[in-house]
Amino acid sequence: MRKIKVFFDNKRGIRVTERAIKTRLKYMKLSHVVKADIGREPFYVSLVISTAWIAFLFQFERLLYAHEQMAILFVCTILVGAAYSVAALKLSTVFNDKTMVWYDFWTVRKVLAAIEAAEHFDVFGNKKST
Amino acid sequence: MWDLISKIIPTPVIVGLLVWGLISAIFLQPLVEERQANITYIPQCKAGKLPQVALRQTPRDKTPDDETETVQPPMAVQIVSELRNIFKQDDEAYTSIRYANTDSCSCSVGVAYERSFWPSLGNVMSFGLFEPRSIKFLEVRVAQIKASGICG
């Protein structure tokens, strides 16, 4: 019996083979996937909030103590940094879109690369001719 | 309809603005109001530098003149005016309890800010760029409240 080729496995629940992608909670055949992208919604939300907070800081500077201003800058930095690190893997079939997993951005990028590599193999494990 | 809105303004921006509104209403607006009151309006009130205002005479204070005909407003307007008077009286009762331990200047400024909640929130959310008249001329409202005797 032929061994299934594995393109990504982080040993924590995310696994991409030549046939499917499997997470802790979801499973999807790669043959059904027509589009894959990385969702960065938390990062954009954090950018809006941090930009607004820093604009508030500049406009109402005279009403805030120095330690409060530092605290606002610190919180904004942490917020943007944390939100940048989080991403979602979104896969679309012909009929619907599905968010497969929320994970750190770099792992999700690797999973996307693995899906792209798996697309070059058919279900029998043979490399597709281009 | 949501699809149309999310095409014009992306969903993360809408969510970010909603969260910013919540943060402003819960944390930033009270902070700005307290600091501005302590820095500007309360010292101005205590120093007696508030603008002079004339209180509007309420219809209840006017005695009817037998020689002149009084024109009654439409029924709907009378109902709305009575409802507004009822709510104002309720508000004044809570005001005296809420500000029982403060001086009249702090009470007047507090009531002025309470009555300008939404303009003040708009002012804070827009980083001071949107400045409604009720916020720009808040000292006039403070003077009116102080003269009306709500705060003793």
Side-chain angles (χ1 to χ4, degrees), chain A residues 45 49 52 59 63-64 68, chain B residues 12 19-20 31 35-36 39 127:
Chain A
V45 172
I49 296 170
Q59 283 294 115
L63 299 178
L64 298 170
E68 288 170 341
Chain B
V19 174
W20 171 244
L31 180 81
R35 300 271 167 96
Q36 273 181 337
I39 289 171
F127 335 116

Side-chain angles (χ1 to χ4, degrees), chain B residues 21-57:
Chain B
L22 273 173
I23 293 172
S24 299
I26 295 170
F27 298 112
L28 301 179
Q29 186 187 355
L31 180 81
V32 167
E33 287 179 356
E34 186 195 337
R35 300 271 167 96
Q36 273 181 337
N38 288 333
I39 289 171
T40 308
Y41 299 114
I42 294 178
Q44 196 178 6
C45 174
K46 286 182 176 172
K49 290 180 182 173
L50 289 173
Q52 296 291 322
V53 293
L55 276 181
R56 259 183 259 162
Q57 206 174 12

Side-chain angles (χ1 to χ4, degrees), chain A residues 23-37:
Chain A
T23 65
R24 278 187 197 275
L25 298 174
K26 292 176 186 169
Y27 175 91
M28 187 183 277
K29 284 185 182 175
L30 288 181
S31 57
H32 295 163
V33 174
V34 296
K35 193 175 85 160
D37 46 14

Side-chain angles (χ1 to χ4, degrees), chain B residues 39-87:
Chain B
I39 289 171
T40 308
Y41 299 114
I42 294 178
Q44 196 178 6
C45 174
K46 286 182 176 172
K49 290 180 182 173
L50 289 173
Q52 296 291 322
V53 293
L55 276 181
R56 259 183 259 162
Q57 206 174 12
T58 59
R60 287 193 293 268
D61 297 337
K62 285 188 185 166
T63 54
D65 191 348
D66 292 329
E67 291 178 0
T68 59
E69 285 181 19
T70 52
V71 178
Q72 292 290 332
M75 181 65 72
V77 174
Q78 290 183 47
I79 291 170
V80 170
S81 299
E82 283 304 314
L83 283 171
R84 285 174 82 179
N85 290 338
I86 290 169
F87 284 123

Side-chain angles (χ1 to χ4, degrees), chain A residues 43-53, chain B residues 12-17 20:
Chain A
F43 178 55
Y44 302 138
V45 172
S46 71
L47 273 182
V48 170
I49 296 170
S50 298
T51 307
W53 221 332
Chain B
V13 174
I14 296 174
V15 171
L17 290 174
W20 171 244

